[in-house]
Amino acid sequence: MLDHFSLRARIGILAALVAALAVVLVSCAAFLTVRANLIDTLDANLLQRATAAAQSNLDPRQLATVPTEVFGAADIKLALVLANGTATSAQGPASAPPLGDDELAVARGFSSESVRTASTNGVAYRVVAVPAGPGQALVIGQRLDPTQQVVTRLAVALPIVGGIGVLLAALAGVAVARAGLRPVDRLTAATERIASTGDLQPIPVDGTDELARLTRSFNDMLGGLAASQEQQRRLVADAGHELRTPLTSMRTNLELLAAASRPGAPQLPASDRAEILEDVQAQVAELSTLVGDLVELARDDTPTVVHEPVEFTDVVSRALERARRRAGDVEFVSMLVPWTLEGDTTALERAVLNLLDNAAKWSPAGAQVRVQMRPLDEWSMVLEVADCGPGIAEEDLPHVFDRFYRADTSRTMPGSGLGLAIVRQVAVRHGGAVWAGRAPEGGALLVLRLPGRRPC
């Protein structure tokens, strides 16, 4: 039923219910405790008076004729009960307190004292009896009206005070809910703003409580979304820039072929037509490679948990076979060690092949490319690919794994500028890293670090 109320209202209602339960329990306990204490105090007072009177020097039979004012209260009734069941009082039977078996038992010596509540003529009395000599008991009864009035006023006052407490608790619950839910209101407003405008600005955070942590987590999510959007924008912009050149060249070549095919147009020499067709085929192949690389990079960059055991040595061996078929007269010299990791076999093979193709592209004819696996420690290994090419300039080393990055010396070389970016993406997915440097052979050194272990 509370689902139809707002969170603030629910907190206020729950606070009021908890306060009401506490008030009921405290009020009942207070009422019962106060009433018991009042009765206990009255009983102790009456017993003290009766015992003092019974132990006085007066003849016990004369005690029944003593005016009740002597005992300090006009509402006291006094009587002397004998063991034979007869009773005497100062003003006759009408002025005697309620008498019964309990008082007779005290007179006969069966009980040392008695305390009870009894009524006579519709008036309630608290009656006590104590021994007043052999075969007799002194009985004192006091009206309970004053005590009952106090209890009645208490029974009225406690619910009133409790109701005020419940109301204050409900108001306090609403106030606390309003203050506590203010960060939630900001989060709600932020999500509505993001949904309507797409603005990923972070939310101001105050405090260190759970809601502040929730706001910080939300800001971290906004930061991740903003970074993802910026990455997508850059990818689209870079892809558009890279696609523009081959498409323009293809359009130009196709326009030349179309113009030469019109009636009356001068015929293209067979060699020129063959050259244009070869150029178009190369551009189509370049576009195919570029699109494939873009699809690979368009995947989520967040590292994924994979559980497929991979023999990395076999992955490198297969990539070497493919690279040798494509590299022509470049020789690959491999030094491999057994290594096992959890990962994606296809992605790892593509990353290794991209490293090998890059080395082959920069190596002169007849040169060697060193491919070496080297364990760093018990849980990590590096794959080094070193070529004999011109190497990488110092200013280009931090950027060679960026998307679409090309050094000034490589702008005329074939390729999409995405191969090494794919290598870094695969490394990050598998909990590894990549970096570039200068090889002892004089060319570029590209290093792929991956976690894993030596097989037993």
Side-chain angles (χ1 to χ4, degrees), residues 331 333-335 359 362-364 367-372 384-392 437-446:
E331 180 183 0
V333 180
S334 61
M335 291 168 279
W362 290 99
S363 296
Q368 290 185 345
V369 173
R370 175 170 56 88
V371 182
Q372 182 177 3
E384 297 180 348
V385 179
D387 60 55
C388 298
I392 304 172
R438 182 167 291 277
E441 294 84 352
L445 174 66
L446 301 181

Side-chain angles (χ1 to χ4, degrees), residues 224-258:
L225 288 175
S228 178
Q229 283 188 354
E230 178 62 24
Q231 189 176 33
Q232 290 177 0
R233 282 194 290 266
R234 286 192 288 107
L235 178 62
V236 171
D238 293 342
H241 176 75
E242 293 295 323
L243 289 170
R244 187 178 298 113
T245 300
L247 287 175
T248 301
S249 179
M250 285 182 61
R251 183 176 61 186
T252 302
N253 289 329
L254 292 175
E255 288 175 351
L256 286 175
L257 291 175

